[in-house]
Amino acid sequence: MSNYAVHNPNTGEIEERFDSLRPEEVPAVIDRAHEGFLKWRETPMEERAAVLRRFAELVEEEADRLARIIGREMGKPLKDGLAETVTLAKHGWWFADHAPEILADTVIDASDGVKTYVKHDPLGVILGIMPWNFPYNQIARFALPQLMVGNAILMKQASICPVSSAEFQKLLERAGLPEGVYTNIYLDSGDVEAVLTDFRVKGFSITGSEAAGSSVAAIAGANMKRSVLELGGNDPMVILDAADVPAMAENAVRLRLFNAGQVCTSPKRIIVHADIYDEFVEAAADAIGRMKVGPFDGEDTDMGPVSSVEARDEVVERVAQAVRDGATLRFGGKPIDRPGAYMEPALLTDVGLEQDISCKELFGPVVVIYKADNDDDALRIANATEYGLQSSVWSQDMAKAEQFAHKVNAGMTLINAHRESSPEWPFGGINRSGYGREEAAWGLTLFTNEHAFRVHEA
């Protein structure tokens, strides 16, 4: 039986099922994608840009419908789903406007005077393996720049988001994208190798777990395929000082509990200077207690359900294990007795750096606060992880904050902000958070042939 289904976490009910591709169908899908690539790569850049602009317009026109689809699939509150469509449209506009300049030939001022330049040629068919937590935007930041480059896309979205993933393809084709250039595929994980071993598939991008990333990267490496991995984070939010401690605690809680804590860049380790720690923890407990947990379309919902009952139960068990290991549970952490994947958001303190919840990413609504004796201790705690995606430093002293930020091990560090991304600057991590960058010029040139030319006079 296929794993692709809408299993509504708001109700616990399975509403729709979808058939996976049969293994014997995979070659024909790649055939169509390759044929689409051969035509699309010859399409003028201005025509590619027109498709993305029309795509962005369609997203804006149908934002409410799109937001309700993902609310039903993975529980995202409606206001947050609408915000995701705004970001989705922004990606379409940005890459349409900026890709032509970024992908223009790079002229080299060669010392010998020979005409020298580099063309950024498309490679071919690229496989995307994307998660469910941002069903539209995770696809957009990978796929839209690749379409501007001239590559073709095979997209394997998470199995719990079969409607939104199909809708993405429909919107692109309504916007004028030729059939075959972007294909949504309901592909079982066991058949990924059959795709990556095909010579016409030139690379892949995956956002997901370490296990999935290392498995697919091994296949890609054996077949000499390019790859980018975004494998989650254990992101530190370092608070060195605050003018208004309760307001800072409220902000930290809302940053962490956004999307029920199911965000790769969520501040999973909130590190607070000892001078303000006690006041901060008390205010954080108060802020969590005021969070309204409810269905995605509830008028007063602050936090929706976790993506599935199984995921909810895993988070609850990890919280319980942390307490057994010596952590202090100050609020919540229990399932809510109602149909669906609901739980109380949790607040933990006194968590040891060697404990599971400190060492491994926790994808759920759990606020974990650490006390730092001083700035050096805060840096020690921040860097006590094998991940390295996003991090943040908060202080009224901008010079101190920036100097501190330069010492944090991460792919991205924000000052007095957290959980940000944009098509305008690179997104990605180091260490167990993966490698490679999406967005901006980095995302556009990731899957290109940097084809060098030297033109000598006859």
Side-chain angles (χ1 to χ4, degrees):
M1 180 182 293
S2 171
N3 292 322
Y4 286 85
V6 176
H7 194 161
N8 191 331
N10 302 277
T11 64
E13 297 179 358
I14 296 177
E15 298 180 352
E16 294 181 84
R17 292 189 181 276
F18 298 80
D19 293 332
S20 298
L21 278 175
R22 298 190 303 275
E24 60 270 23
E25 295 176 307
V26 171
V29 171
I30 300 175
D31 287 345
R32 289 193 294 272
H34 181 65
E35 291 168 5
F37 162 69
L38 294 177
K39 297 176 182 177
W40 183 244
R41 71 178 179 182
E42 302 300 329
T43 302
M45 186 70 74
E46 58 268 24
E47 293 184 24
R48 298 180 204 163
V51 170
L52 262 64
R53 291 191 180 98
R54 180 56 185 149
F55 171 81
E57 290 174 351
L58 290 171
V59 169
E60 291 174 342
E61 291 168 7
E62 303 189 21
D64 185 75
R65 182 178 68 85
L66 296 173
R68 290 181 181 278
I69 289 173
I70 61 175
R72 187 166 59 93
E73 287 180 326
M74 48 72 66
K76 181 166 291 185
L78 185 58
K79 63 180 183 301
D80 298 330
L82 290 169
E84 182 167 343
T85 67
V86 172
T87 306
L88 173 61
K90 179 181 178 180
H91 276 77
W93 293 117
W94 196 91
F95 284 109
D97 291 343
H98 294 86
E101 179 182 359
I102 293 171
L103 295 173
D105 296 351
T106 301
V107 178
I108 308 297
D109 185 13
S111 60
D112 58 6
V114 174
K115 180 181 179 181
T116 306
Y117 60 97
V118 176
K119 291 183 67 64
H120 309 284
D121 293 336
L123 290 178
V125 179
I126 312 295
L127 173 66
I129 303 174
M130 294 294 128
W132 47 262
N133 57 334
F134 289 88
Y136 300 123
N137 284 342
Q138 291 283 171
I139 295 177
R141 71 186 190 200
F142 157 66
L144 297 187
Q146 298 315 314
L147 294 178
M148 285 303 299
V149 166
N151 288 320
I153 302 295
L154 294 176
M155 180 57 63
K156 174 186 167 9
Q157 174 61 297
S159 61
I160 67 172
C161 292
V163 177
S164 58
S165 61
E167 191 62 38
F168 203 100
Q169 177 180 337
K170 292 175 184 176
L171 288 170
L172 283 169
E173 292 181 350
R174 286 171 58 193
L177 189 72
E179 291 185 10
V181 178
Y182 180 101
T183 307
N184 174 63
I185 51 176
Y186 299 139
L187 184 73
D188 291 336
S189 297
D191 295 322
V192 167
E193 185 168 5
V195 176
L196 285 178
T197 54
D198 191 295
F199 181 74
R200 297 165 296 177
V201 178
K202 301 301 183 180
F204 79 95
S205 174
I206 181 172
T207 297
S209 68
E210 289 179 65
S214 60
S215 175
V216 179
I219 298 170
N223 290 276
M224 303 298 289
K225 303 298 173 79
R226 293 196 194 183
S227 61
V228 57
L229 308 182
E230 196 269 88
L231 306 181
N234 200 11
D235 296 0
M237 177 181 184
V238 182
I239 303 170
L240 301 176
D241 56 73
D244 185 337
V245 175
M248 178 64 74
E250 174 97 23
N251 187 34
V253 164
R254 290 193 172 272
L255 283 167
R256 176 61 180 122
L257 298 184
F258 174 79
N259 207 29
Q262 302 165 123
V263 184
C264 296
T265 56
S266 179
K268 301 179 180 75
R269 297 179 300 132
I270 300 173
I271 303 162
V272 182
H273 198 286
D275 290 347
I276 60 173
Y277 175 83
D278 290 338
E279 183 181 5
F280 186 96
V281 170
E282 182 178 350
D286 177 69
I288 292 175
R290 289 184 277 106
M291 295 289 289
K292 301 295 184 183
V293 180
F296 85 93
D297 55 355
E299 290 185 3
D300 60 349
T301 293
D302 295 312
M303 189 184 92
V306 180
S307 62
S308 68
V309 171
E310 294 78 12
R312 187 270 314 274
D313 290 347
E314 179 182 351
V315 174
V316 168
E317 171 54 30
R318 289 188 67 187
V319 170
Q321 184 61 54
V323 173
R324 291 193 291 269
D325 291 340
T328 301
L329 179 62
R330 294 178 180 261
F331 187 91
K334 302 292 192 298
I336 296 175
D337 186 15
R338 60 183 293 183
Y342 298 96
M343 70 171 287
E344 304 165 342
L347 172 61
L348 287 171
T349 60
D350 308 312
V351 179
L353 296 184
E354 75 289 348
Q355 290 185 19
D356 168 78
I357 226 163
S358 292
C359 298
K360 297 179 182 178
E361 181 180 38
L362 178 58
F363 222 57
V366 182
V367 177
V368 185
I369 304 176
Y370 301 79
K371 181 194 289 187
D373 294 336
N374 50 47
D375 292 359
D376 289 341
D377 193 39
L379 182 64
R380 176 186 68 85
I381 298 170
N383 286 337
T385 179
E386 294 185 0
Y387 292 85
L389 190 57
Q390 191 170 97
S391 61
S392 66
V393 182
W394 301 70
S395 175
Q396 300 171 85
D397 185 335
M398 300 302 295
K400 179 174 74 170
E402 196 164 354
Q403 290 173 4
F404 189 102
H406 291 166
K407 300 175 185 178
V408 178
N409 299 327
M412 304 167 282
T413 301
L414 312 180
I415 295 174
N416 294 328
H418 200 109
R419 213 196 66 237
E420 288 186 342
S421 64
S422 168
E424 299 171 305
W425 50 278
F427 185 99
I430 59 172
N431 302 326
R432 289 188 179 274
S433 289
Y435 55 76
R437 294 294 182 269
E438 296 175 319
E439 306 284 37
W442 291 265
L444 280 162
T445 57
L446 184 64
F447 293 105
T448 61
N449 172 22
E450 305 302 278
H451 196 165
F453 293 87
R454 297 262 292 168
V455 184
H456 290 264
E457 297 291 339

